[in-house]
Amino acid sequence: MRNIRLLIEYEGTQYAGWQWQKNQKTIQETLSKAVERVVQEPVKMYGSSRTDSGVHALGQVANFKTTSAIPPEQLIRAINFYLPHDITVKDAADVMESFHARYDAQSKIYRYTLLNDWIRTSLNRNFCHVCGLLLNTDKMLDAAQYLIGTHDFTSFTTRALQERNRIRTIKRLEIAKEGKYILFTVEADGFLYNMVRTMVGTLIEVGRGKIMTENVRDILAARNRNLAGPTAPAKGLCLIEVKY
Amino acid sequence: MRNIRLLIEYEGTQYAGWQWQKNQKTIQETLSKAVERVVQEPVKMYGSSRTDSGVHALGQVANFKTTSAIPPEQLIRAINFYLPHDITVKDAADVMESFHARYDAQSKIYRYTLLNDWIRTSLNRNFCHVCGLLLNTDKMLDAAQYLIGTHDFTSFTTRALQERNRIRTIKRLEIAKEGKYILFTVEADGFLYNMVRTMVGTLIEVGRGKIMTENVRDILAARNRNLAGPTAPAKGLCLIEVKY
């Protein structure tokens, strides 16, 4: 039995997220069906991250087992032939039988794109959140320092009860200005449901002066979602890379 | 009577180009209707460039006359409110009564985006042409030198008979590699119908060795469209800037 690792790019706009759901179009189902048409047998597709509805990916990783003998490059071409154009397999490779896209992930990198302008964008409209308020990025950067490291992120998830272990380690949280864009890059060993979007929503509140920089430490310590800022919209979020 | 100059960004994917056409959705008509709802009177909208079906713009310029007293910033907000999100007015300004977006343009800058890879892209799929052939960009750059300057571009337009004067001046033609992308930036005093796309299509033929570098000079001299390469797809083209 071969174990194939896929690297996948997708625009999440038209999908109800990665994970299979009844009566909803998802990335996992669409990808699995395309793969099954190619390998001519049922497959179980394991994804590294269950991206939410509307969230994009440049570097989602998934794996599946198959008895098919089709070489990797041909697999890429054939799967892409059956996939709609908003999903693309960028790479395929044979990996050890033990490899699991989700359990073996060491860290994941997400990017959140914020357009800080009072006028929207047409060309980039599905890939950024537009915020017209005056934002102080220095304050946002100061506040972000409290989130880096190993913490209980209960205050930054909307489904705390579903996760027994709410402790995660943020290795990197960068905030960069590029013209009118503010780019948040976050690397962690894992993320709770809506965690990046709640962190970004909270940092926006810091940037506009609604939440004081030091309060972010207290919000984290309180383990109470009601204290953090709103969940920033899905369309600004993109899974950039999964490290193994 | 005020004369208002608009700066407009749009994704052309869903439109039959800029210019008004019967029974077809166009940028000019969609924009005019939104403006008319705001200023509450019929307007005549003059655009700097008649971009083709599927061609995008970051910096299209248009102007219209109106008796409305609405200040520019409010005009931007109100027009964008009525526009679909694939069209955005980025700026509005009162200009001299004599200003005409088309006749006063000194030069226009277009960018053509080519993804030189055998795997497509999902996130950027509406904004680039994907070409999987091995392309020699040095040869393309050499060939491009023959096109710079003042020439009769009859060989590079698909509607030569509709234009009495087919002489244009290309001030700049740059070819830059950015990762797997090849970006063509062309500035000219004006462009014939399909001119940028035919130049790019011809340079791709040079890059893959189907047309010799020096042949581009002969193709130009022959004033015969049949000698040039194919017209590159519209979705890779974007009107970047109009200079006055």
mmCIF file of all heavy atoms in Angstrom, chain A residues 9-11 73 77 80 83-90 118-123 125 127, chain B residues 9-11 73 77 80 83-90 118-123 125 127:
data_model
loop_
_atom_site.group_PDB
_atom_site.id
_atom_site.type_symbol
_atom_site.label_atom_id
_atom_site.label_comp_id
_atom_site.label_asym_id
_atom_site.label_seq_id
_atom_site.Cartn_x
_atom_site.Cartn_y
_atom_site.Cartn_z
ATOM 1 N N GLU A 9 -3.348 23.807 -2.779
ATOM 2 C CA GLU A 9 -3.670 25.246 -2.742
ATOM 3 C C GLU A 9 -5.159 25.384 -3.021
ATOM 4 O O GLU A 9 -5.675 24.696 -3.898
ATOM 5 C CB GLU A 9 -2.858 25.958 -3.837
ATOM 6 C CG GLU A 9 -3.201 27.442 -4.016
ATOM 7 C CD GLU A 9 -2.447 28.077 -5.201
ATOM 8 O OE1 GLU A 9 -1.302 27.685 -5.483
ATOM 9 O OE2 GLU A 9 -3.052 28.959 -5.848
ATOM 10 N N TYR A 10 -5.864 26.218 -2.270
ATOM 11 C CA TYR A 10 -7.268 26.438 -2.612
ATOM 12 C C TYR A 10 -7.787 27.794 -2.178
ATOM 13 O O TYR A 10 -7.294 28.396 -1.229
ATOM 14 C CB TYR A 10 -8.193 25.347 -2.066
ATOM 15 C CG TYR A 10 -8.072 24.998 -0.601
ATOM 16 C CD1 TYR A 10 -8.680 25.765 0.383
ATOM 17 C CD2 TYR A 10 -7.363 23.858 -0.204
ATOM 18 C CE1 TYR A 10 -8.590 25.417 1.720
ATOM 19 C CE2 TYR A 10 -7.271 23.502 1.136
ATOM 20 C CZ TYR A 10 -7.878 24.286 2.087
ATOM 21 O OH TYR A 10 -7.786 23.947 3.415
ATOM 22 N N GLU A 11 -8.775 28.274 -2.926
ATOM 23 C CA GLU A 11 -9.525 29.455 -2.516
ATOM 24 C C GLU A 11 -10.759 28.919 -1.802
ATOM 25 O O GLU A 11 -11.578 28.205 -2.396
ATOM 26 C CB GLU A 11 -9.947 30.295 -3.726
ATOM 27 C CG GLU A 11 -10.837 31.444 -3.282
ATOM 28 C CD GLU A 11 -11.281 32.379 -4.389
ATOM 29 O OE1 GLU A 11 -10.736 32.345 -5.490
ATOM 30 O OE2 GLU A 11 -12.207 33.178 -4.105
ATOM 31 N N GLU A 73 3.953 12.502 -10.583
ATOM 32 C CA GLU A 73 3.683 13.619 -11.492
ATOM 33 C C GLU A 73 2.383 13.401 -12.263
ATOM 34 O O GLU A 73 1.596 14.335 -12.470
ATOM 35 C CB GLU A 73 4.845 13.814 -12.465
ATOM 36 C CG GLU A 73 4.697 15.102 -13.263
ATOM 37 C CD GLU A 73 5.860 15.371 -14.206
ATOM 38 O OE1 GLU A 73 7.024 15.266 -13.779
ATOM 39 O OE2 GLU A 73 5.580 15.708 -15.376
ATOM 40 N N ARG A 77 -1.241 15.692 -12.314
ATOM 41 C CA ARG A 77 -1.954 16.107 -13.528
ATOM 42 C C ARG A 77 -3.382 15.562 -13.549
ATOM 43 O O ARG A 77 -4.336 16.268 -13.876
ATOM 44 C CB ARG A 77 -1.224 15.607 -14.774
ATOM 45 C CG ARG A 77 0.097 16.295 -15.034
ATOM 46 C CD ARG A 77 0.688 15.812 -16.384
ATOM 47 N NE ARG A 77 2.082 16.158 -16.519
ATOM 48 C CZ ARG A 77 2.525 17.337 -16.957
ATOM 49 N NH1 ARG A 77 1.667 18.285 -17.318
ATOM 50 N NH2 ARG A 77 3.823 17.586 -17.052
ATOM 51 N N ASN A 80 -5.687 17.140 -10.761
ATOM 52 C CA ASN A 80 -6.042 18.520 -11.129
ATOM 53 C C ASN A 80 -7.040 18.558 -12.281
ATOM 54 O O ASN A 80 -7.872 19.468 -12.366
ATOM 55 C CB ASN A 80 -4.788 19.328 -11.481
ATOM 56 C CG ASN A 80 -4.011 19.737 -10.250
ATOM 57 O OD1 ASN A 80 -4.565 19.800 -9.154
ATOM 58 N ND2 ASN A 80 -2.730 20.024 -10.419
ATOM 59 N N LEU A 83 -10.317 18.199 -10.585
ATOM 60 C CA LEU A 83 -10.648 19.205 -9.567
ATOM 61 C C LEU A 83 -11.181 20.482 -10.207
ATOM 62 O O LEU A 83 -10.737 20.873 -11.291
ATOM 63 C CB LEU A 83 -9.393 19.575 -8.760
ATOM 64 C CG LEU A 83 -8.953 18.636 -7.640
ATOM 65 C CD1 LEU A 83 -7.617 19.110 -7.067
ATOM 66 C CD2 LEU A 83 -10.005 18.585 -6.529
ATOM 67 N N PRO A 84 -12.111 21.172 -9.529
ATOM 68 C CA PRO A 84 -12.486 22.523 -9.982
ATOM 69 C C PRO A 84 -11.263 23.433 -9.824
ATOM 70 O O PRO A 84 -10.359 23.133 -9.033
ATOM 71 C CB PRO A 84 -13.605 22.919 -9.018
ATOM 72 C CG PRO A 84 -13.417 22.054 -7.817
ATOM 73 C CD PRO A 84 -12.811 20.773 -8.300
ATOM 74 N N HIS A 85 -11.247 24.556 -10.559
ATOM 75 C CA HIS A 85 -10.025 25.364 -10.603
ATOM 76 C C HIS A 85 -9.719 26.128 -9.324
ATOM 77 O O HIS A 85 -8.631 26.698 -9.195
ATOM 78 C CB HIS A 85 -10.049 26.280 -11.828
ATOM 79 C CG HIS A 85 -9.689 25.564 -13.094
ATOM 80 N ND1 HIS A 85 -9.010 26.146 -14.128
ATOM 81 C CD2 HIS A 85 -9.894 24.266 -13.456
ATOM 82 C CE1 HIS A 85 -8.824 25.261 -15.090
ATOM 83 N NE2 HIS A 85 -9.360 24.125 -14.715
ATOM 84 N N ASP A 86 -10.648 26.143 -8.381
ATOM 85 C CA ASP A 86 -10.327 26.827 -7.118
ATOM 86 C C ASP A 86 -9.602 25.905 -6.135
ATOM 87 O O ASP A 86 -9.279 26.311 -5.018
ATOM 88 C CB ASP A 86 -11.559 27.503 -6.479
ATOM 89 C CG ASP A 86 -12.765 26.599 -6.372
ATOM 90 O OD1 ASP A 86 -12.640 25.388 -6.641
ATOM 91 O OD2 ASP A 86 -13.840 27.100 -6.000
ATOM 92 N N ILE A 87 -9.338 24.672 -6.551
ATOM 93 C CA ILE A 87 -8.487 23.759 -5.781
ATOM 94 C C ILE A 87 -7.406 23.227 -6.728
ATOM 95 O O ILE A 87 -7.727 22.834 -7.851
ATOM 96 C CB ILE A 87 -9.275 22.557 -5.206
ATOM 97 C CG1 ILE A 87 -10.497 23.037 -4.404
ATOM 98 C CG2 ILE A 87 -8.373 21.679 -4.342
ATOM 99 C CD1 ILE A 87 -11.343 21.889 -3.835
ATOM 100 N N THR A 88 -6.159 23.224 -6.278
ATOM 101 C CA THR A 88 -5.058 22.719 -7.093
ATOM 102 C C THR A 88 -4.108 21.881 -6.249
ATOM 103 O O THR A 88 -3.675 22.327 -5.188
ATOM 104 C CB THR A 88 -4.238 23.884 -7.713
ATOM 105 O OG1 THR A 88 -5.090 24.683 -8.530
ATOM 106 C CG2 THR A 88 -3.075 23.356 -8.563
ATOM 107 N N VAL A 89 -3.796 20.684 -6.726
ATOM 108 C CA VAL A 89 -2.728 19.902 -6.106
ATOM 109 C C VAL A 89 -1.417 20.427 -6.678
ATOM 110 O O VAL A 89 -1.206 20.414 -7.892
ATOM 111 C CB VAL A 89 -2.887 18.396 -6.409
ATOM 112 C CG1 VAL A 89 -1.647 17.629 -5.960
ATOM 113 C CG2 VAL A 89 -4.122 17.857 -5.702
ATOM 114 N N LYS A 90 -0.529 20.930 -5.799
ATOM 115 C CA LYS A 90 0.732 21.525 -6.245
ATOM 116 C C LYS A 90 1.867 20.507 -6.231
ATOM 117 O O LYS A 90 2.856 20.678 -6.912
ATOM 118 C CB LYS A 90 1.108 22.706 -5.340
ATOM 119 C CG LYS A 90 0.080 23.834 -5.286
ATOM 120 C CD LYS A 90 -0.090 24.541 -6.611
ATOM 121 C CE LYS A 90 0.931 25.641 -6.827
ATOM 122 N NZ LYS A 90 0.649 26.433 -8.052
ATOM 123 N N TRP A 118 -10.102 52.984 3.907
ATOM 124 C CA TRP A 118 -11.553 53.212 3.911
ATOM 125 C C TRP A 118 -12.174 52.859 2.562
ATOM 126 O O TRP A 118 -13.394 52.848 2.422
ATOM 127 C CB TRP A 118 -11.885 54.643 4.338
ATOM 128 C CG TRP A 118 -11.378 55.705 3.405
ATOM 129 C CD1 TRP A 118 -10.123 56.222 3.366
ATOM 130 C CD2 TRP A 118 -12.123 56.367 2.374
ATOM 131 N NE1 TRP A 118 -10.028 57.153 2.383
ATOM 132 C CE2 TRP A 118 -11.237 57.277 1.756
ATOM 133 C CE3 TRP A 118 -13.438 56.278 1.913
ATOM 134 C CZ2 TRP A 118 -11.631 58.099 0.700
ATOM 135 C CZ3 TRP A 118 -13.823 57.099 0.860
ATOM 136 C CH2 TRP A 118 -12.922 57.999 0.274
ATOM 137 N N ILE A 119 -11.342 52.538 1.563
ATOM 138 C CA ILE A 119 -11.859 52.094 0.264
ATOM 139 C C ILE A 119 -11.514 50.624 0.085
ATOM 140 O O ILE A 119 -10.404 50.196 0.364
ATOM 141 C CB ILE A 119 -11.231 52.915 -0.889
ATOM 142 C CG1 ILE A 119 -11.479 54.407 -0.662
ATOM 143 C CG2 ILE A 119 -11.806 52.472 -2.234
ATOM 144 C CD1 ILE A 119 -10.857 55.295 -1.718
ATOM 145 N N ARG A 120 -12.479 49.848 -0.385
ATOM 146 C CA ARG A 120 -12.266 48.413 -0.546
ATOM 147 C C ARG A 120 -11.341 48.119 -1.736
ATOM 148 O O ARG A 120 -10.900 49.023 -2.440
ATOM 149 C CB ARG A 120 -13.624 47.733 -0.747
ATOM 150 C CG ARG A 120 -14.259 48.098 -2.058
ATOM 151 C CD ARG A 120 -15.617 47.434 -2.234
ATOM 152 N NE ARG A 120 -16.150 47.759 -3.544
ATOM 153 C CZ ARG A 120 -17.392 48.186 -3.772
ATOM 154 N NH1 ARG A 120 -18.237 48.361 -2.777
ATOM 155 N NH2 ARG A 120 -17.790 48.449 -5.002
ATOM 156 N N THR A 121 -11.063 46.855 -1.974
ATOM 157 C CA THR A 121 -10.307 46.418 -3.146
ATOM 158 C C THR A 121 -11.188 45.472 -3.961
ATOM 159 O O THR A 121 -11.968 44.699 -3.402
ATOM 160 C CB THR A 121 -9.004 45.693 -2.739
ATOM 161 O OG1 THR A 121 -8.467 45.026 -3.881
ATOM 162 C CG2 THR A 121 -9.249 44.651 -1.655
ATOM 163 N N SER A 122 -11.060 45.524 -5.283
ATOM 164 C CA SER A 122 -11.789 44.576 -6.126
ATOM 165 C C SER A 122 -10.927 43.363 -6.453
ATOM 166 O O SER A 122 -11.376 42.226 -6.330
ATOM 167 C CB SER A 122 -12.243 45.242 -7.435
ATOM 168 O OG SER A 122 -13.379 46.045 -7.205
ATOM 169 N N LEU A 123 -9.681 43.598 -6.850
ATOM 170 C CA LEU A 123 -8.838 42.482 -7.291
ATOM 171 C C LEU A 123 -8.528 41.507 -6.159
ATOM 172 O O LEU A 123 -8.420 40.312 -6.373
ATOM 173 C CB LEU A 123 -7.525 42.999 -7.905
ATOM 174 C CG LEU A 123 -7.645 43.902 -9.134
ATOM 175 C CD1 LEU A 123 -6.298 44.053 -9.830
ATOM 176 C CD2 LEU A 123 -8.689 43.384 -10.127
ATOM 177 N N ARG A 125 -10.406 41.156 -3.306
ATOM 178 C CA ARG A 125 -11.541 41.224 -2.382
ATOM 179 C C ARG A 125 -11.833 39.925 -1.628
ATOM 180 O O ARG A 125 -12.376 39.962 -0.525
ATOM 181 C CB ARG A 125 -12.806 41.697 -3.107
ATOM 182 C CG ARG A 125 -13.372 40.696 -4.112
ATOM 183 C CD ARG A 125 -14.463 41.346 -4.950
ATOM 184 N NE ARG A 125 -15.045 40.425 -5.898
ATOM 185 C CZ ARG A 125 -14.471 40.037 -7.028
ATOM 186 N NH1 ARG A 125 -13.274 40.464 -7.356
ATOM 187 N NH2 ARG A 125 -15.103 39.199 -7.841
ATOM 188 N N PHE A 127 -9.550 37.895 -0.512
ATOM 189 C CA PHE A 127 -8.353 37.466 0.214
ATOM 190 C C PHE A 127 -7.913 38.422 1.308
ATOM 191 O O PHE A 127 -6.801 38.307 1.816
ATOM 192 C CB PHE A 127 -7.210 37.230 -0.777
ATOM 193 C CG PHE A 127 -7.547 36.208 -1.816
ATOM 194 C CD1 PHE A 127 -7.938 36.580 -3.087
ATOM 195 C CD2 PHE A 127 -7.528 34.863 -1.498
ATOM 196 C CE1 PHE A 127 -8.280 35.628 -4.051
ATOM 197 C CE2 PHE A 127 -7.858 33.900 -2.440
ATOM 198 C CZ PHE A 127 -8.242 34.283 -3.717
ATOM 199 N N GLU B 9 -10.699 50.545 -10.146
ATOM 200 C CA GLU B 9 -10.087 49.204 -10.118
ATOM 201 C C GLU B 9 -11.186 48.201 -10.437
ATOM 202 O O GLU B 9 -12.300 48.331 -9.929
ATOM 203 C CB GLU B 9 -9.531 48.950 -8.703
ATOM 204 C CG GLU B 9 -8.992 47.540 -8.471
ATOM 205 C CD GLU B 9 -8.573 47.290 -7.012
ATOM 206 O OE1 GLU B 9 -8.109 48.231 -6.335
ATOM 207 O OE2 GLU B 9 -8.747 46.148 -6.551
ATOM 208 N N TYR B 10 -10.898 47.211 -11.282
ATOM 209 C CA TYR B 10 -11.896 46.166 -11.496
ATOM 210 C C TYR B 10 -11.301 44.841 -11.916
ATOM 211 O O TYR B 10 -10.227 44.785 -12.501
ATOM 212 C CB TYR B 10 -12.977 46.587 -12.497
ATOM 213 C CG TYR B 10 -12.513 47.133 -13.824
ATOM 214 C CD1 TYR B 10 -12.125 46.293 -14.864
ATOM 215 C CD2 TYR B 10 -12.496 48.503 -14.051
ATOM 216 C CE1 TYR B 10 -11.727 46.796 -16.098
ATOM 217 C CE2 TYR B 10 -12.105 49.021 -15.277
ATOM 218 C CZ TYR B 10 -11.717 48.168 -16.286
ATOM 219 O OH TYR B 10 -11.315 48.683 -17.500
ATOM 220 N N GLU B 11 -12.031 43.786 -11.552
ATOM 221 C CA GLU B 11 -11.719 42.461 -12.076
ATOM 222 C C GLU B 11 -12.628 42.260 -13.280
ATOM 223 O O GLU B 11 -13.865 42.265 -13.160
ATOM 224 C CB GLU B 11 -12.004 41.371 -11.026
ATOM 225 C CG GLU B 11 -11.814 39.990 -11.638
ATOM 226 C CD GLU B 11 -12.022 38.824 -10.673
ATOM 227 O OE1 GLU B 11 -12.096 39.042 -9.450
ATOM 228 O OE2 GLU B 11 -12.113 37.696 -11.176
ATOM 229 N N GLU B 73 -15.159 62.789 -1.698
ATOM 230 C CA GLU B 73 -15.072 61.620 -0.828
ATOM 231 C C GLU B 73 -16.431 60.940 -0.676
ATOM 232 O O GLU B 73 -16.534 59.708 -0.663
ATOM 233 C CB GLU B 73 -14.515 62.008 0.547
ATOM 234 C CG GLU B 73 -14.192 60.783 1.387
ATOM 235 C CD GLU B 73 -13.591 61.111 2.760
ATOM 236 O OE1 GLU B 73 -12.654 61.920 2.830
ATOM 237 O OE2 GLU B 73 -14.094 60.550 3.757
ATOM 238 N N ARG B 77 -17.703 57.003 -1.766
ATOM 239 C CA ARG B 77 -18.457 56.093 -0.888
ATOM 240 C C ARG B 77 -19.793 55.699 -1.505
ATOM 241 O O ARG B 77 -20.180 54.531 -1.496
ATOM 242 C CB ARG B 77 -18.716 56.760 0.471
ATOM 243 C CG ARG B 77 -17.485 56.927 1.335
ATOM 244 C CD ARG B 77 -17.881 57.471 2.722
ATOM 245 N NE ARG B 77 -16.737 57.966 3.461
ATOM 246 C CZ ARG B 77 -15.926 57.198 4.192
ATOM 247 N NH1 ARG B 77 -16.132 55.911 4.272
ATOM 248 N NH2 ARG B 77 -14.891 57.724 4.835
ATOM 249 N N ASN B 80 -19.407 53.454 -4.739
ATOM 250 C CA ASN B 80 -19.005 52.087 -4.357
ATOM 251 C C ASN B 80 -20.152 51.323 -3.699
ATOM 252 O O ASN B 80 -20.242 50.099 -3.833
ATOM 253 C CB ASN B 80 -17.789 52.128 -3.416
ATOM 254 C CG ASN B 80 -16.499 52.406 -4.176
ATOM 255 O OD1 ASN B 80 -16.417 52.188 -5.377
ATOM 256 N ND2 ASN B 80 -15.493 52.914 -3.473
ATOM 257 N N LEU B 83 -22.021 49.946 -6.572
ATOM 258 C CA LEU B 83 -21.271 49.078 -7.497
ATOM 259 C C LEU B 83 -21.163 47.657 -6.960
ATOM 260 O O LEU B 83 -21.053 47.460 -5.750
ATOM 261 C CB LEU B 83 -19.846 49.623 -7.688
ATOM 262 C CG LEU B 83 -19.629 50.767 -8.663
ATOM 263 C CD1 LEU B 83 -18.177 51.245 -8.589
ATOM 264 C CD2 LEU B 83 -19.974 50.364 -10.092
ATOM 265 N N PRO B 84 -21.144 46.645 -7.860
ATOM 266 C CA PRO B 84 -20.798 45.289 -7.417
ATOM 267 C C PRO B 84 -19.333 45.299 -6.955
ATOM 268 O O PRO B 84 -18.563 46.175 -7.352
ATOM 269 C CB PRO B 84 -20.968 44.454 -8.683
ATOM 270 C CG PRO B 84 -20.864 45.423 -9.810
ATOM 271 C CD PRO B 84 -21.402 46.726 -9.295
ATOM 272 N N HIS B 85 -18.972 44.319 -6.104
ATOM 273 C CA HIS B 85 -17.654 44.372 -5.469
ATOM 274 C C HIS B 85 -16.480 44.098 -6.400
ATOM 275 O O HIS B 85 -15.334 44.305 -6.002
ATOM 276 C CB HIS B 85 -17.631 43.452 -4.249
ATOM 277 C CG HIS B 85 -18.303 44.073 -3.057
ATOM 278 N ND1 HIS B 85 -17.895 43.869 -1.765
ATOM 279 C CD2 HIS B 85 -19.344 44.948 -2.989
ATOM 280 C CE1 HIS B 85 -18.671 44.569 -0.947
ATOM 281 N NE2 HIS B 85 -19.561 45.220 -1.660
ATOM 282 N N ASP B 86 -16.759 43.660 -7.639
ATOM 283 C CA ASP B 86 -15.635 43.472 -8.564
ATOM 284 C C ASP B 86 -15.268 44.764 -9.295
ATOM 285 O O ASP B 86 -14.354 44.781 -10.126
ATOM 286 C CB ASP B 86 -15.869 42.303 -9.543
ATOM 287 C CG ASP B 86 -17.212 42.345 -10.236
ATOM 288 O OD1 ASP B 86 -17.934 43.346 -10.088
ATOM 289 O OD2 ASP B 86 -17.540 41.369 -10.936
ATOM 290 N N ILE B 87 -15.974 45.860 -8.972
ATOM 291 C CA ILE B 87 -15.587 47.187 -9.472
ATOM 292 C C ILE B 87 -15.502 48.115 -8.260
ATOM 293 O O ILE B 87 -16.404 48.113 -7.413
ATOM 294 C CB ILE B 87 -16.616 47.774 -10.475
ATOM 295 C CG1 ILE B 87 -16.892 46.772 -11.614
ATOM 296 C CG2 ILE B 87 -16.139 49.109 -11.025
ATOM 297 C CD1 ILE B 87 -17.932 47.280 -12.622
ATOM 298 N N THR B 88 -14.429 48.903 -8.171
ATOM 299 C CA THR B 88 -14.263 49.838 -7.057
ATOM 300 C C THR B 88 -13.742 51.176 -7.564
ATOM 301 O O THR B 88 -12.744 51.215 -8.292
ATOM 302 C CB THR B 88 -13.253 49.297 -6.015
ATOM 303 O OG1 THR B 88 -13.720 48.051 -5.492
ATOM 304 C CG2 THR B 88 -13.071 50.276 -4.859
ATOM 305 N N VAL B 89 -14.409 52.251 -7.169
ATOM 306 C CA VAL B 89 -13.860 53.587 -7.416
ATOM 307 C C VAL B 89 -12.849 53.853 -6.309
ATOM 308 O O VAL B 89 -13.190 53.827 -5.123
ATOM 309 C CB VAL B 89 -14.966 54.660 -7.412
ATOM 310 C CG1 VAL B 89 -14.357 56.066 -7.437
ATOM 311 C CG2 VAL B 89 -15.880 54.471 -8.616
ATOM 312 N N LYS B 90 -11.571 54.061 -6.681
ATOM 313 C CA LYS B 90 -10.505 54.257 -5.698
ATOM 314 C C LYS B 90 -10.283 55.735 -5.408
ATOM 315 O O LYS B 90 -9.736 56.103 -4.368
ATOM 316 C CB LYS B 90 -9.186 53.657 -6.213
ATOM 317 C CG LYS B 90 -9.246 52.171 -6.519
ATOM 318 C CD LYS B 90 -9.484 51.321 -5.282
ATOM 319 C CE LYS B 90 -8.193 51.012 -4.543
ATOM 320 N NZ LYS B 90 -8.427 50.041 -3.430
ATOM 321 N N TRP B 118 4.059 24.075 -14.968
ATOM 322 C CA TRP B 118 3.150 23.053 -15.524
ATOM 323 C C TRP B 118 1.976 22.793 -14.584
ATOM 324 O O TRP B 118 1.053 22.061 -14.928
ATOM 325 C CB TRP B 118 3.901 21.768 -15.840
ATOM 326 C CG TRP B 118 4.506 21.071 -14.665
ATOM 327 C CD1 TRP B 118 5.706 21.372 -14.084
ATOM 328 C CD2 TRP B 118 3.959 19.979 -13.927
ATOM 329 N NE1 TRP B 118 5.925 20.541 -13.024
ATOM 330 C CE2 TRP B 118 4.887 19.661 -12.902
ATOM 331 C CE3 TRP B 118 2.781 19.225 -14.016
ATOM 332 C CZ2 TRP B 118 4.669 18.642 -11.984
ATOM 333 C CZ3 TRP B 118 2.576 18.212 -13.102
ATOM 334 C CH2 TRP B 118 3.506 17.918 -12.096
ATOM 335 N N ILE B 119 1.997 23.405 -13.389
ATOM 336 C CA ILE B 119 0.860 23.289 -12.477
ATOM 337 C C ILE B 119 0.176 24.644 -12.387
ATOM 338 O O ILE B 119 0.824 25.678 -12.255
ATOM 339 C CB ILE B 119 1.315 22.849 -11.068
ATOM 340 C CG1 ILE B 119 2.102 21.534 -11.167
ATOM 341 C CG2 ILE B 119 0.119 22.688 -10.138
ATOM 342 C CD1 ILE B 119 2.641 21.042 -9.845
ATOM 343 N N ARG B 120 -1.144 24.651 -12.442
ATOM 344 C CA ARG B 120 -1.892 25.904 -12.399
ATOM 345 C C ARG B 120 -1.883 26.504 -10.996
ATOM 346 O O ARG B 120 -1.309 25.955 -10.062
ATOM 347 C CB ARG B 120 -3.333 25.643 -12.847
ATOM 348 C CG ARG B 120 -4.085 24.768 -11.861
ATOM 349 C CD ARG B 120 -5.527 24.539 -12.304
ATOM 350 N NE ARG B 120 -6.241 23.790 -11.296
ATOM 351 C CZ ARG B 120 -6.940 22.673 -11.540
ATOM 352 N NH1 ARG B 120 -7.014 22.195 -12.764
ATOM 353 N NH2 ARG B 120 -7.564 22.054 -10.555
ATOM 354 N N THR B 121 -2.513 27.656 -10.834
ATOM 355 C CA THR B 121 -2.685 28.292 -9.540
ATOM 356 C C THR B 121 -4.181 28.441 -9.266
ATOM 357 O O THR B 121 -4.965 28.682 -10.190
ATOM 358 C CB THR B 121 -2.016 29.681 -9.493
ATOM 359 O OG1 THR B 121 -2.462 30.383 -8.329
ATOM 360 C CG2 THR B 121 -2.380 30.528 -10.699
ATOM 361 N N SER B 122 -4.587 28.280 -7.992
ATOM 362 C CA SER B 122 -6.000 28.508 -7.653
ATOM 363 C C SER B 122 -6.215 29.939 -7.183
ATOM 364 O O SER B 122 -7.152 30.607 -7.621
ATOM 365 C CB SER B 122 -6.447 27.544 -6.550
ATOM 366 O OG SER B 122 -6.704 26.279 -7.099
ATOM 367 N N LEU B 123 -5.348 30.432 -6.289
ATOM 368 C CA LEU B 123 -5.570 31.762 -5.713
ATOM 369 C C LEU B 123 -5.471 32.873 -6.754
ATOM 370 O O LEU B 123 -6.159 33.869 -6.671
ATOM 371 C CB LEU B 123 -4.577 32.015 -4.565
ATOM 372 C CG LEU B 123 -4.629 31.046 -3.378
ATOM 373 C CD1 LEU B 123 -3.853 31.615 -2.189
ATOM 374 C CD2 LEU B 123 -6.063 30.740 -2.945
ATOM 375 N N ARG B 125 -5.883 32.437 -10.122
ATOM 376 C CA ARG B 125 -6.285 31.843 -11.399
ATOM 377 C C ARG B 125 -6.946 32.811 -12.369
ATOM 378 O O ARG B 125 -6.882 32.606 -13.584
ATOM 379 C CB ARG B 125 -7.208 30.638 -11.176
ATOM 380 C CG ARG B 125 -8.581 30.977 -10.608
ATOM 381 C CD ARG B 125 -9.301 29.710 -10.202
ATOM 382 N NE ARG B 125 -10.642 29.969 -9.705
ATOM 383 C CZ ARG B 125 -10.924 30.464 -8.502
ATOM 384 N NH1 ARG B 125 -9.938 30.792 -7.674
ATOM 385 N NH2 ARG B 125 -12.172 30.657 -8.127
ATOM 386 N N PHE B 127 -6.057 35.917 -12.768
ATOM 387 C CA PHE B 127 -5.172 37.053 -13.017
ATOM 388 C C PHE B 127 -3.867 36.695 -13.715
ATOM 389 O O PHE B 127 -2.950 37.498 -13.748
ATOM 390 C CB PHE B 127 -4.883 37.774 -11.696
ATOM 391 C CG PHE B 127 -6.127 38.262 -11.022
ATOM 392 C CD1 PHE B 127 -6.688 37.565 -9.958
ATOM 393 C CD2 PHE B 127 -6.772 39.392 -11.489
ATOM 394 C CE1 PHE B 127 -7.857 38.008 -9.359
ATOM 395 C CE2 PHE B 127 -7.932 39.844 -10.898
ATOM 396 C CZ PHE B 127 -8.489 39.147 -9.832
#
